[in-house]
Amino acid sequence: MPSAGIAPRRAVQLAALFAMMVAFTAQLVGALLPVIPLFIAASVVNLGLDLVLQHKQPGLLAVLGRIRFDVTVRQLLRDMLILVGLLHIDGINPLEEQAPLTITLLLFYGTHFVCQAVAVLVRRTRSLPFVTRNIDASALRLCDAPPRILSRQTGRRLLRFSVPTTVGMMLTSITTDAYWGGIGLAVSLTLSAGGTLYLSTWLLPKKRVASEKQALAWLDDWLAGYRPTVGMYFSGGSSSAYQANMWLSTLASLDGNPIIVLRERFMVQKIEATDVPIVCIPKVANLMRLEHSTLKVLLHPANSGKTSQILRIPSIKHAFTNHGESDKLSSCNPYAKAYDEVWVAGPAARDRYQLADIGVEDKDVIEVGRPQLAPIQPYAGAPAGRMTTVLYAPTWEGWDGNPGNTSVILAGENIVRELLADENVQLLYKPHPMTGSVDPRAGAANTRIQAMITEANTRRSGERPGPEAAAELARRADELNALTTSAFRKSADELERMGLQGTPEEGRAAAVEAAVTAWEAAYWNSFPRWEHRIITTARPGIFSCFNQADVLISDVSSVVSDYLSSEKPYAVANTSGMSEDDFRANFPTVRAATILTPGAHEVAGLLDAVRNPEQDTLAAERAELKEHLLGPSDPPSSVRFNQAALDLAAKADERRIRMENRLSGIPGQRSQEDVDASETAENEASGASDTTAAV
């Protein structure tokens, strides 16, 4: 069943197309008969409708473009119909009055096409082979972008510049005086010619950015000066940025000089606030330049089609960190054997790879914990107040159609109904952002669940925080937005953004972290404990929701593994069709969970165990399972993760030494200490030679 809202939207789109066809027909009829009121009304409505659709429904007009009825053809047809209409209106001399109008109109279209050609040239000159962020790239001669209406919005430019022509021609139709049409055409021609000349200034040397060769040379120099040692490589779609964002703080805390390597230009702005330098290199040929840099280790939070391209660089060691661990097959993908090492949280993931038998050798699996889980607060006992806060965070339906992937379709409404029936429960509902993207049933169930929660809130009442709470949240939001949101002009392109997003201010990362913490505190204080919440925005994050919750209900996903770091009670919905024993045997992460059947009748017992710890028979198993999933608490995960990065970097050094020895013809291998000592001796000798030369 299609999700709510799609059918009405399609009806509106079809109505708009039908209205445009009617307007063209009416304009033709009004021009030929002629019926001047109809002719004028249809001409104005036709152009006005196209202008509105350019802003409101550009995708709809793109469909017309695919059938060769694009904006240029539509506007040319409108103008031709206007000229036909003027031919049929008595009092207008075709030779003396309409011929000059026609010639001027042709000149207008000539300047329009010239402007299009200039726009193409400008866009080409303003496209570097890479995009950067958090790097001072002023040496590339970056400058502000030209107005979008001239450089990129071809359709809007033609339509807007045609408005004076249409107005003038309509006045001519009313007055039979070609003077008004001439004025309108003169204004349109002046706008088009003037815009073309102004846009052409971006082709002059003063506004031209560095050439591709110069830019790549600059990139090589920057890499040589910054000397990156460890980085994160990421490629993916617009909705997958969260997979990289969860590793930003961990990457920034590693010893060495971190860097983020991206492949899609749009992803540069999808990465959240960080001080780590970002370089996006779309072309494989340019990506290979990293082989000659000091980069030793790349971390991979996700597999993608472009991952194999960076794996071609032998001088860099690659570690797969994944973006979360669960018992799903996606957490032991055969692609993992392409990496030098696979970094996992704890022994459970190591066992998972060996049981999967996909070619990943046990020696290449490194247990590093989950350093980003540090903000999650530990279990502090039963709920302190009357209310019990339950976080229901189901995952999405996945690509394989397995009914056990998400509980939303088969169990979601039953779970929510049971929770809403308890007057002492506060429900936090945070569905996966991709819910419904594959299976429309999941999207429909998600919509119904949110409606249930909204309706339940109308039946509740009580004391609410004062206006000062909302004011505090607004103030904290403004502070956070000022730190994390870059304000760009509407016309800004990626080069202008590169110039604005240069080297970040010192201490910005710490300021962002503090601002996020303050915003989250203000958010939770802005509504009463008795009110249910639907959380579909990026903030508050899932970890912040963990800290508010007394118990989690979820599916087999990385959410469960992460939540276990708190050792709080949790439940997992079994919609797989397996028996409970088989479900526990197949998915170790649910071993310490309360299992919910699709009917969700176990919810009442779960709440009793949360409120009365003496009834909680799974506490010891949660502590044991936590260590099995996430590894030991000592040394901390951040320490183990950093050491793993240093160890892998050392392996990269060892390989480099072996290759240098082979190339130089020196037999055997030297240790890193020998190489360092040799380099030190060479430097001292060089310094002594320079001193002697100076004397």
Side-chain angles (χ1 to χ4, degrees):
M1 152 171 108
S3 59
I6 292 180
R9 186 166 63 249
R10 286 177 178 169
V12 171
Q13 292 174 342
L14 289 174
L17 285 177
F18 180 73
M20 182 177 287
M21 295 303 105
V22 170
F24 272 114
T25 303
Q27 192 177 4
L28 176 61
V29 172
L32 294 177
L33 289 181
V35 181
I36 296 177
L38 177 63
F39 172 61
I40 293 173
S43 299
V44 172
V45 169
N46 202 348
L47 177 58
L49 183 60
D50 214 334
L51 280 166
V52 171
L53 292 178
Q54 283 286 339
H55 288 273
K56 302 294 185 181
Q57 296 286 342
L60 179 64
L61 295 181
V63 174
L64 294 179
R66 287 198 288 271
I67 60 174
R68 299 297 187 267
F69 195 50
D70 59 21
V71 62
T72 304
V73 174
R74 294 195 302 273
Q75 185 56 37
L76 184 60
L77 177 58
R78 274 189 289 265
D79 288 335
M80 292 302 101
L81 289 175
I82 289 175
L83 292 177
V84 170
L86 294 181
L87 281 173
H88 288 79
I89 296 175
D90 294 335
I92 301 178
N93 189 312
L95 293 178
E96 295 181 4
E97 296 177 311
Q98 192 166 356
L101 296 180
T102 304
I103 294 171
T104 308
L105 183 63
L106 292 175
L107 288 175
F108 166 71
Y109 275 94
T111 57
H112 166 70
F113 291 122
V114 171
C115 190
Q116 280 187 281
V118 173
V120 171
L121 293 175
V122 169
R123 290 199 299 271
R124 287 180 178 176
T125 61
R126 292 187 62 81
S127 180
L128 292 176
F130 55 83
V131 186
T132 65
R133 201 177 112 191
N134 299 335
I135 298 172
D136 180 8
S138 57
L140 296 174
R141 304 191 301 275
L142 306 179
C143 65
D144 290 348
R148 281 194 304 172
I149 195 169
L150 296 177
S151 62
R152 296 184 178 275
Q153 297 176 333
T154 302
R156 294 186 184 183
R157 181 181 72 238
L158 176 60
L159 293 177
R160 291 180 183 181
F161 287 0
S162 293
V163 169
T165 294
T166 301
V167 172
M169 293 293 199
M170 294 304 99
L171 289 174
T172 295
S173 301
I174 297 171
T175 64
T176 67
D177 188 346
Y179 170 80
W180 299 109
I183 292 295
L185 277 167
V187 173
S188 294
L189 181 59
T190 301
L191 288 173
S192 186
T196 303
L197 290 175
Y198 181 60
L199 183 61
S200 300
T201 62
W202 267 264
L203 298 175
L204 298 176
K206 187 174 69 173
K207 290 186 178 181
R208 287 180 70 95
V209 299
S211 65
E212 179 175 352
K213 182 178 180 180
Q214 293 170 332
L216 291 173
W218 174 89
L219 179 62
D220 292 339
D221 290 342
W222 180 84
L223 288 169
Y226 178 66
R227 298 185 64 79
T229 54
V230 60
M232 176 175 67
Y233 176 90
F234 188 73
S235 171
S238 58
S239 62
S240 63
Y242 73 94
Q243 299 171 352
N245 287 329
M246 67 172 59
W247 289 103
L248 295 180
S249 60
T250 302
L251 180 66
S253 64
L254 294 178
D255 291 340
N257 296 329
I259 188 175
I260 297 172
V261 180
L262 305 176
R263 300 301 307 283
E264 291 80 22
R265 293 175 182 268
F266 69 84
M267 191 63 71
V268 174
Q269 299 305 321
K270 295 286 185 180
I271 300 298
E272 293 178 354
T274 178
D275 291 350
V276 177
I278 299 174
V279 178
C280 174
I281 310 177
K283 290 185 178 180
V284 180
N286 297 330
L287 186 70
M288 295 300 107
R289 306 177 86 89
L290 292 177
E291 183 174 4
H292 306 293
S293 72
T294 56
L295 189 59
K296 303 175 183 179
V297 173
L298 275 178
L299 309 179
H300 298 259
N303 296 312
S304 75
K306 296 180 181 179
T307 300
S308 61
Q309 297 170 351
I310 191 69
L311 293 178
R312 300 177 190 178
I313 300 180
S315 60
I316 301 175
K317 293 293 182 179
H318 302 271
F320 181 57
T321 62
N322 212 339
H323 52 274
E325 290 185 12
S326 71
D327 294 322
K328 294 180 181 178
L329 291 176
S330 57
S331 289
C332 51
N333 192 312
Y335 198 98
K337 61 189 175 187
Y339 302 96
D340 296 288
E341 292 181 352
V342 176
W343 293 2
V344 299
R350 178 186 294 277
D351 295 344
R352 188 182 305 122
Y353 273 105
Q354 300 316 305
L355 290 172
D357 193 19
I358 56 173
V360 175
E361 297 187 28
D362 188 65
K363 66 180 179 61
D364 295 328
V365 178
I366 311 298
E367 296 176 27
V368 295
R370 287 273 285 166
Q372 57 269 77
L373 303 185
I376 299 176
Q377 299 170 3
Y379 178 56
R386 179 177 68 88
M387 302 301 294
T388 301
T389 300
V390 181
L391 171 62
Y392 179 35
T395 190
W396 68 301
E397 58 270 26
W399 300 111
D400 58 7
N402 189 328
N405 286 344
T406 178
S407 58
V408 169
I409 298 174
L410 299 178
E413 292 168 85
N414 294 331
I415 291 171
V416 170
R417 189 176 294 109
E418 291 287 330
L419 292 171
L420 296 179
D422 191 318
E423 63 180 11
N424 294 324
V425 162
Q426 179 200 35
L427 172 60
L428 307 179
Y429 178 57
K430 188 173 177 64
H432 193 285
M434 293 180 68
T435 299
S437 60
V438 172
D439 191 336
R441 294 178 302 163
N446 179 40
T447 300
R448 293 193 297 270
I449 288 172
Q450 295 190 33
M452 291 169 61
I453 297 172
T454 301
E455 195 274 333
N457 274 333
T458 64
R459 301 194 304 268
R460 289 193 168 193
S461 62
E463 185 178 356
R464 305 189 70 89
E468 65 279 359
E472 174 69 4
L473 177 60
R475 185 173 71 85
R476 294 299 185 181
D478 290 341
E479 291 178 355
L480 184 57
N481 288 335
L483 288 169
T484 60
T485 305
S486 298
F488 303 119
R489 298 183 309 125
K490 286 186 177 181
S491 292
D493 59 6
E494 63 185 23
L495 294 193
E496 184 173 334
R497 289 191 287 267
M498 278 177 60
L500 295 172
Q501 294 179 309
T503 306
E505 296 180 6
E506 187 175 353
R508 187 185 65 169
V512 169
E513 183 178 357
V516 169
T517 302
W519 181 90
E520 289 176 344
Y523 173 83
W524 297 116
N525 291 331
S526 66
F527 59 88
R529 280 295 305 274
W530 51 262
E531 185 176 65
H532 305 301
R533 303 297 291 179
I534 300 170
I535 305 170
T536 56
T537 52
R539 293 194 182 95
I542 189 69
F543 293 171
S544 181
C545 295
F546 286 174
N547 292 336
Q548 294 296 314
D550 298 306
V551 58
L552 167 74
I553 298 177
S554 188
D555 305 319
V556 175
S557 69
S558 60
V559 168
V560 169
S561 303
D562 290 350
Y563 186 81
L564 257 172
S565 65
S566 69
E567 297 187 33
K568 294 179 183 178
Y570 71 104
V572 176
N574 177 13
T575 56
S576 65
M578 301 179 186
S579 67
E580 180 173 330
D581 290 341
D582 289 342
F583 189 61
R584 291 186 185 275
N586 280 276
F587 303 109
T589 54
V590 310
R591 194 177 72 202
T594 297
I595 306 301
L596 304 183
T597 57
H601 305 299
E602 302 82 4
V603 167
L606 170 68
L607 294 174
D608 286 341
V610 172
R611 292 162 178 162
N612 304 288
E614 65 275 7
Q615 298 182 25
D616 183 4
T617 60
L618 297 169
E621 283 196 64
R622 288 198 300 273
E624 180 183 342
L625 184 58
K626 170 190 172 181
E627 184 161 337
H628 184 58
L629 292 175
L630 303 174
S633 300
D634 189 30
S637 176
S638 57
V639 174
R640 287 184 284 145
F641 196 96
N642 185 63
Q643 188 58 52
L646 294 175
D647 292 344
L648 192 55
K651 292 181 180 179
D653 285 335
E654 291 170 2
R655 180 198 174 277
R656 176 179 57 82
I657 292 168
R658 289 195 300 271
M659 296 306 297
E660 289 176 352
N661 289 342
R662 290 170 186 170
L663 291 174
S664 62
I666 301 176
Q669 299 180 13
R670 292 186 295 171
S671 67
Q672 181 63 48
E673 291 78 6
D674 292 339
V675 173
D676 292 341
S678 175
E679 290 179 350
T680 301
E682 290 176 1
N683 291 336
E684 290 177 351
S686 176
S689 176
D690 291 344
T691 302
T692 303
V695 172

